Amino acid sequence: MRARLMQATIDCLVERGWAGTTTTLVSERAGVSRGAQLHHFPSKRELVVASVQHLADQLNGDLQRRHDEAINGRGHSTRKTLGLLADHFTSAIFVASLELWVAARTDAELLEIVQPMERRWGREEHRLAVELLGVDDTHPPTRALVQGTLDMMRGFGLANTLSDDSRRRGRILTEWAELIDANARPAAPTGKTG
Amino acid sequence: MRARLMQATIDCLVERGWAGTTTTLVSERAGVSRGAQLHHFPSKRELVVASVQHLADQLNGDLQRRHDEAINGRGHSTRKTLGLLADHFTSAIFVASLELWVAARTDAELLEIVQPMERRWGREEHRLAVELLGVDDTHPPTRALVQGTLDMMRGFGLANTLSDDSRRRGRILTEWAELIDANARPAAPTGKTG
């Protein structure tokens, strides 16, 4: 029942935004009585805090899954890896996170929760991008290229909320793969074959 | 009085976000009576539509001013140009525009206004970035590099809403200037000296 309430909260954030998300709507959507909802989460804030944590878990699982898919596929080109990252940053999870992010900007209590969470996500996304792209994160220009690429991905996520931006994004990513291949330093080989 | 109401609307968006912006708050902040406010803008939507247009004018003026500053300074390095663009995308105008953008995602009537406006801004920003950086926009890899850089700037704007992100941003931009200098095709010289 907790999981159902949290999923309903996220769905509600995606469909109606922060302001349109109410505990009444969430309990209706989850098919849970108001009494039961209040028992699990006495306030909107508590409901959202738990759901955001749930969102973070989903997000990490999502990135990890994409990573594993890429590894299984072996010959994962830079272009394919960039496509996986872009899919991640234009997903419903990104949209829900954007709603929280913007709401937190003008809500000090929410900011206290969202700020460290976004920082943690940022670090996790960076670590995965470095691993997926197979580049050397200790090389400052390469590190900056990965960071800038992730900020670009967030820009893509933002652009995609207003209209389907996939064609423009696809064209940029095709050129971007060449940019990365030409400018990023590959990671040192792991000791395995040495 | 119209200008004062519109400026107050934008200030209100920046400080309190979309949901926290009300016509009552705006008229108080502008020092305008409710009657006069209702005479100029009968509804919140009308107030915001006009203010968004005002915002667009400010935005264009802001970019143009930065452009002129760069031209006056003559020896405007790629790093300096990137700094000017980043300042623009982390300004109060970006924040107000982000509030509108996110609100429009779940408000069909607002979306009808914001979508073409954001498209126009995007084109204008791209044109100015090409001019400021002095690169050849007809060269596909260069065009994609400028587009990706502007999406990165929007990502910077987003990151900066939660905490002061200027140190991280500065480090990325220093590497980014070298990336652009090494990978973008310079614009063909204008006929002036030929």
Side-chain angles (χ1 to χ4, degrees):
Chain A
M1 187 180 290
R2 276 181 71 86
R4 226 157 68 222
L5 281 165
M6 292 188 290
Q7 186 58 52
T9 304
I10 288 162
D11 292 345
C12 210
L13 278 172
V14 171
E15 271 179 36
R16 308 200 172 218
W18 172 262
T21 297
T22 64
T23 51
T24 310
L25 259 176
V26 169
S27 56
E28 274 171 23
R29 182 187 280 267
V32 166
S33 73
R34 285 286 283 160
Q37 186 240 289
L38 289 168
H39 171 73
H40 284 285
F41 305 104
S43 71
K44 176 177 173 180
R45 202 178 298 280
E46 282 165 279
L47 178 62
V48 169
V49 168
S51 302
V52 167
Q53 197 48 62
H54 181 60
L55 182 74
D57 293 345
Q58 279 195 307
L59 193 81
N60 290 343
D62 188 51
L63 269 172
Q64 195 62 56
R65 207 163 37 248
R66 289 171 194 281
H67 179 215
D68 295 345
E69 280 169 15
I71 293 292
N72 283 338
R74 309 260 356 229
H76 63 295
S77 65
T78 303
R79 176 65 183 82
K80 194 177 167 197
T81 299
L82 290 174
L84 288 174
L85 285 168
D87 288 348
H88 173 72
F89 281 97
T90 52
S91 68
I93 296 176
F94 177 85
V95 172
S97 139
L98 179 65
E99 287 288 340
L100 272 180
W101 192 311
V102 171
R105 195 183 70 76
T106 51
D107 179 332
E109 283 184 59
L110 198 58
L111 186 62
E112 261 182 57
I113 302 157
V114 172
Q115 202 172 44
M117 196 168 298
E118 289 287 351
R119 242 177 234 151
R120 209 163 55 236
W121 289 350
R123 279 198 301 270
E124 178 70 2
E125 285 157 2
H126 183 87
R127 188 189 63 72
L128 267 162
V130 165
E131 201 174 327
L132 280 164
L133 291 166
V135 296
D136 180 2
D137 197 41
T138 65
H139 180 235
T142 299
R143 184 174 169 79
L145 182 51
V146 172
Q147 287 179 309
T149 297
L150 287 170
D151 280 288
M152 175 181 79
M153 294 285 174
R154 282 179 205 105
F156 286 165
L158 195 56
N160 204 62
T161 59
L162 289 195
S163 54
D164 178 4
D165 188 42
S166 52
R167 276 178 52 202
R168 185 189 76 99
R169 194 164 66 236
R171 278 195 299 268
I172 296 174
L173 289 180
T174 298
E175 300 288 350
W176 214 258
E178 296 199 24
L179 187 76
I180 288 181
D181 287 342
N183 292 277
R185 179 183 286 178
T190 59
K192 278 182 193 166
T193 54
Chain B
M1 184 180 290
R2 277 181 70 86
R4 228 159 66 225
L5 281 165
M6 291 189 288
Q7 186 57 52
T9 304
I10 288 162
D11 292 345
C12 211
L13 277 173
V14 171
E15 272 180 35
R16 308 199 172 218
W18 171 262
T21 297
T22 64
T23 51
T24 311
L25 260 176
V26 169
S27 56
E28 274 172 23
R29 181 186 281 263
V32 166
S33 73
R34 283 286 284 161
Q37 186 240 288
L38 288 169
H39 171 72
H40 283 285
F41 305 103
S43 71
K44 176 176 171 179
R45 202 178 297 279
E46 282 166 279
L47 178 62
V48 169
V49 168
S51 302
V52 167
Q53 196 51 59
H54 181 61
L55 182 75
D57 293 345
Q58 279 195 307
L59 192 82
N60 290 344
D62 188 52
L63 268 172
Q64 194 63 54
R65 208 163 36 247
R66 289 171 194 280
H67 179 212
D68 295 345
E69 280 169 16
I71 293 292
N72 283 336
R74 308 246 19 214
H76 61 295
S77 64
T78 302
R79 176 65 183 82
K80 195 178 165 197
T81 298
L82 290 175
L84 288 173
L85 286 169
D87 287 349
H88 173 73
F89 281 98
T90 52
S91 68
I93 297 175
F94 176 85
V95 172
S97 138
L98 179 65
E99 287 288 341
L100 272 179
W101 191 314
V102 171
R105 195 183 70 75
T106 51
D107 179 332
E109 283 184 60
L110 197 59
L111 185 63
E112 261 184 54
I113 303 158
V114 171
Q115 201 171 45
M117 196 167 298
E118 289 286 350
R119 243 178 234 152
R120 209 162 55 238
W121 288 352
R123 279 197 301 268
E124 179 70 4
E125 285 156 1
H126 183 87
R127 189 189 63 71
L128 267 162
V130 165
E131 200 173 326
L132 280 163
L133 291 166
V135 295
D136 180 2
D137 197 40
T138 65
H139 180 235
T142 299
R143 183 174 170 79
L145 182 52
V146 172
Q147 289 178 308
T149 298
L150 287 170
D151 280 288
M152 175 181 78
M153 295 285 175
R154 283 180 205 105
F156 285 165
L158 194 57
N160 205 61
T161 59
L162 289 194
S163 55
D164 178 4
D165 188 43
S166 52
R167 275 178 54 203
R168 184 188 77 99
R169 193 166 64 238
R171 278 196 300 268
I172 296 174
L173 289 180
T174 298
E175 300 288 351
W176 213 259
E178 296 199 26
L179 187 75
I180 287 181
D181 288 342
N183 292 277
R185 179 183 286 178
T190 60
K192 278 182 192 166
T193 56

